[in-house]
Structures are given as structure tokens and as C-alpha cells.
Amino acid sequence: MQSKIWLSSPHMGGNEISYVNHAFETNWIAPLGPHVVGFERDIKDFLQTNKEVAALSSGTAAIHLALVMLGVSAGDEVICQSMTFSASANPILYQGATPVFVDSEPQTWNICPEETLRAIEDGIKRNKKPKAIIAVHLYGVPFQVDRLREISNHYNIPIIEDSAEALGSTYKGLQCGTFGDFGVLSFNGNKIITTSGGGALVCPSVEAKEKVVFYATQSRDPQPHYQHSHIGYNYRLSNVSAGIGRGQMEVLADRVAARRAMHEFYVDLFKDIHGVTVFSADESVSVPNYWLSSILIDADKTGGKTREDLRLFLDALQIESRPLWKPMHLQPIFASYSFFGSGVSEKLFEDGLCLPSGSNLSDEEKGRISAAITTFFSN
Ligand SMILES: *Cc1c(COP(=O)(O)O)cnc(C)c1O
């Protein structure tokens, strides 16, 4: 049987193992240690920012601690982009707060500024001004940063920038992860670089980072005994994982270039296929990392062929593809919460498909993908 072509698989650079070996040789196996510090510095350098980076155990933990830092607690409302991975929204529930979901706009597939305004005004009318806005750079394509920042400033509502999929993407020349009041990164196994599991929170100041690290290491007050005056979390990244991360940071620029080349590959592959559009950003504004390349299939123009037909066809050929994120307001666990929108994300979910996008796909694998897709649309 043919080997499976995955949507997005880990891609080591080679030096990760020497950092990990160093951790073993020096017995920095317990959390913390020099790689954590080094990894945070590498990320900060890459982001070219004055902000501070706290390495954590996951992107989900980073979102959770951003909410804690912003004082989100039981009964508060938090606006969240509906079309995203569930990890953007779950931490709202961890805090006992209430998500208010907002639709996408068709340009970037991300949070719609106009619907965000409606959601804020509605909250204010009910005396429930939202405590934060969680906005996501889906598939590495930046949301409308300037417009959302205007709204955030006007209403004085902080932005949690979920940049889990967008490390290496830029908006107006600046790195994603640096636009929010807090910025979230993920190093999960399927992301553009990985520590096997991990994340980071980009913090506005040294003090904020220190607070985040305090919460992430069980909120231990400065006492000889264990003393706690705040809820603690076990959310810090380990020194071993950070060692992998340091090796991955050495190759991040290559990984971004390779993912962008995959996007070009699909643009070229689909240029003569009627009814299929490859999701692309306006590159005069933003340069995406194209973490996942994705397409929309208009079945009215493909002779009735749907995204599900293509997915099943590829699956039979051992090629993984996946529908776009199913919007949160359509998920059973979140269905009871309010939603502001007009069907944009539903339609994207119906017509959209993510295609194999890894930075490590071989020419042979790209050939298989190309042949499969050409065959599918030619008969
Ligand atoms: C992966 C991802 C997360 C969560 O990151 P983990 O490190 O897996 O916890 C959050 N938001 C989005 C949009 C993601 O894609």
C-alpha cells in the first residue's frame, strides 16, 4: 500500500537533538533551565518586538492565562471568532465566562469587524460589555488588524491575538503575535514548527510576563514553605521541549518559505480548474505563512463535485485532507451561546477543504497530489 500523505506533519531541522542531548547531559530535565530562556529569546528576536515571551505547555494554556491576566472571571462575556479551532474558545469556559461568537468576513475568513461592533453594542446595551476579543489568524492569514485595533481602542476592550497558526506571517511588515494585548503561539505537532507540544504567550511588559510565569508555575508566593494566594497552573514549558524548540527556530524561516511554496503549488495546480479558488491573502497588506493551504469548491461550477467528494477521493488514495474548521456556534458544546453573523463561516465550512501543506512533502508526494486532483476534476 502507498504511504499516507499527511495534512501537516512534524519536520525536524537536525539540530533539535543536540539541544535535547545538552539538556540530558546537564540534567536540566525538570521544568525550566537554559533552553527555556534561550527559546524565549529566540522567539522574541524572531518577532522583532519589545514585548516579552513566556514559553508555556501549549497554545491553549497561553489563551487561558491571557484570560486570567485580563481578569476574565465567572459571568463575564468574551467575544470569540466562531470559525476557529475549539482551543480558541474552550478557555473562556474554564474561567466560567460566556463566549459570544462572531462570524467571519469573506476576505480573510477571520473575525468580521462589523459583526464585532454589533456584538459589543449588544453587550453594552445589556450592561455586559465584553471583557476581551479573541481574534484568530486562520491558516496563517492575518485578520483585519488595523480595523480590529480601532474597535478595541474605541471601546477599550483588549484583544487576545490567537496566532497559533500564524508564526512567521506578517501584517504590514510586522510579525503576527505582536498585535494583541496578548499574543498566543502554539508549537503543537501539526503547527509550522513544533516542540512536540508547547506554546507561548507574548506579553506587553516584563511585569506581565513575570505574572504569567508565576501563574504557570503554581502561583507560589515568595515563602520558604509552599504558600498560595492565587489559583495556580502547571503550564510552563519543559527544558527538554524548549530544546526541540531552539532547533526548530533555526529553520523557521525555511519552514515558512516551504509552506508558501506549497500554496504556490496549489495556485498553479488549480489555475485552470473551474469552480475552485485557492484561499489567498492580499499580499500588499499581509504575507501569510500559509500554514495550511485551503480551497473553496463551488459545486455549481464543478458539475456538482463537492468538497466532500474530493475529500473521499483523496482519502481512498491515502492523501489526507480536511474540511475547514467547523464554526464554534455550530458545535454541540457551544450551540447555546449567542452568535453575531450572516452565514459566512457556515458557507466556508460547507465549501472549504484543507490540503496537504507540510514543509516536508517530497516531489514524489506532490506528484501524487497533483495527479489525484487532476484526475478528480477531469472526469
Ligand atoms: C493549535 C491551535 C490552538 C491551540 O494550541 P495547542 O498548542 O494545540 O494547545 C489554538 N488556536 C488555534 C487557532 C490553533 O490552531
Side-chain angles (χ1 to χ4, degrees), residues 14 72 92 107 129 138 197 201 211-212 301 307 320 322-323 336 348:
V72 171
I92 301 170
Q107 223 61 51
K129 188 174 117 174
L138 228 47
L201 189 60
K211 201 85 200 253
V212 165
K301 295 183 184 158
R307 72 109 158 106
E320 186 183 31
R322 191 173 301 145
S336 63
L348 290 171

Side-chain angles (χ1 to χ4, degrees), residues 30-32 214 217-230 232-234:
L32 306 187
F214 169 79
T217 50
Q218 306 286 21
S219 300
R220 276 146 53 181
D221 294 341
Q223 295 284 344
H225 55 275
Y226 275 30
Q227 168 106 0
H228 308 279
S229 42
H230 192 280
Y233 305 90
N234 185 2

Side-chain angles (χ1 to χ4, degrees), residues 65-375:
L65 289 186
L67 292 169
V68 171
M69 288 295 289
L70 293 172
V72 171
S73 59
D76 287 339
E77 294 191 358
V78 175
I79 288 179
C80 184
Q81 179 168 327
S82 184
M83 188 161 188
T84 184
F85 178 48
S86 62
S88 304
N90 279 327
I92 301 170
L93 299 191
Y94 302 169
Q95 287 305 97
T98 303
V100 175
F101 292 110
V102 168
D103 209 356
S104 296
E105 41 83 11
Q107 223 61 51
T108 73
W109 294 5
N110 294 311
I111 192 163
C112 173
E114 302 321 308
E115 298 291 356
T116 302
L117 278 176
R118 283 186 51 216
I120 293 171
E121 289 292 347
D122 176 80
I124 290 171
K125 246 184 264 154
R126 290 179 292 103
N127 225 349
K128 276 272 176 194
K129 188 174 117 174
K131 271 289 189 70
I133 301 169
I134 301 175
V136 189
H137 306 299
L138 228 47
Y139 307 120
V141 173
F143 58 76
Q144 293 185 24
V145 173
D146 283 351
R147 185 72 187 102
L148 209 65
R149 178 44 68 191
E150 269 174 46
I151 293 170
S152 158
N153 290 348
H154 182 261
Y155 290 96
N156 196 21
I157 303 173
I159 295 172
I160 297 174
E161 178 194 7
D162 183 345
S163 197
E165 302 178 0
L167 179 59
S169 299
T170 59
Y171 176 88
K172 298 192 174 170
L174 301 173
Q175 294 288 335
C176 286
T178 62
F179 299 114
D181 295 76
F182 286 92
V184 171
L185 301 174
S186 167
F187 311 110
N188 194 44
N190 60 344
K191 298 289 159 52
I192 192 155
I193 60 166
T194 182
T195 58
S196 86
L201 189 60
V202 182
C203 304
S205 65
V206 173
E207 297 71 35
K209 176 189 167 171
E210 281 170 357
K211 201 85 200 253
V212 165
V213 171
F214 169 79
Y215 291 144
T217 50
Q218 306 286 21
S219 300
R220 276 146 53 181
D221 294 341
Q223 295 284 344
H225 55 275
Y226 275 30
Q227 168 106 0
H228 308 279
S229 42
H230 192 280
I231 295 175
Y233 305 90
N234 185 2
Y235 279 171
R236 195 71 160 128
L237 190 69
S238 87
N239 195 55
V240 176
S241 298
I244 303 174
R246 295 201 70 187
Q248 288 274 276
M249 286 306 290
E250 294 179 5
V251 293
L252 174 55
D254 297 339
R255 299 298 180 262
V256 172
R259 298 259 174 177
R260 287 178 52 77
M262 281 310 297
H263 173 262
E264 275 308 305
F265 166 82
Y266 287 114
V267 168
D268 190 55
L269 181 58
F270 285 105
K271 70 177 183 300
D272 297 323
I273 298 177
H274 195 55
V276 179
T277 44
V278 179
F279 179 39
S280 300
D282 174 359
E283 295 219 359
S284 69
V285 180
S286 59
V287 181
N289 66 8
Y290 289 121
W291 169 59
L292 294 185
S293 287
S294 38
I295 55 172
L296 293 178
I297 301 184
D298 182 349
D300 291 340
K301 295 183 184 158
T302 58
K305 291 179 173 129
T306 65
R307 72 109 158 106
E308 192 55 11
D309 296 333
L310 177 58
R311 192 186 70 76
L312 292 169
F313 183 84
L314 293 174
D315 188 56
L317 295 170
Q318 294 291 305
I319 299 170
E320 186 183 31
S321 67
R322 191 173 301 145
L324 302 188
W325 298 123
K326 180 172 180 174
M328 291 305 111
H329 71 279
L330 304 178
Q331 299 284 357
I333 184 72
F334 293 120
S336 63
Y337 299 105
S338 53
F339 169 69
F340 290 81
S342 58
V344 175
S345 56
E346 279 102 321
K347 182 79 178 131
L348 290 171
F349 173 61
E350 225 167 86
D351 295 342
L353 194 67
C354 298
L355 297 169
S357 306
S359 48
N360 50 1
L361 292 171
S362 67
D363 287 344
E364 188 260 337
E365 289 172 316
K366 284 183 225 172
R368 273 172 61 197
I369 295 165
S370 169
I373 288 172
T374 307
T375 305

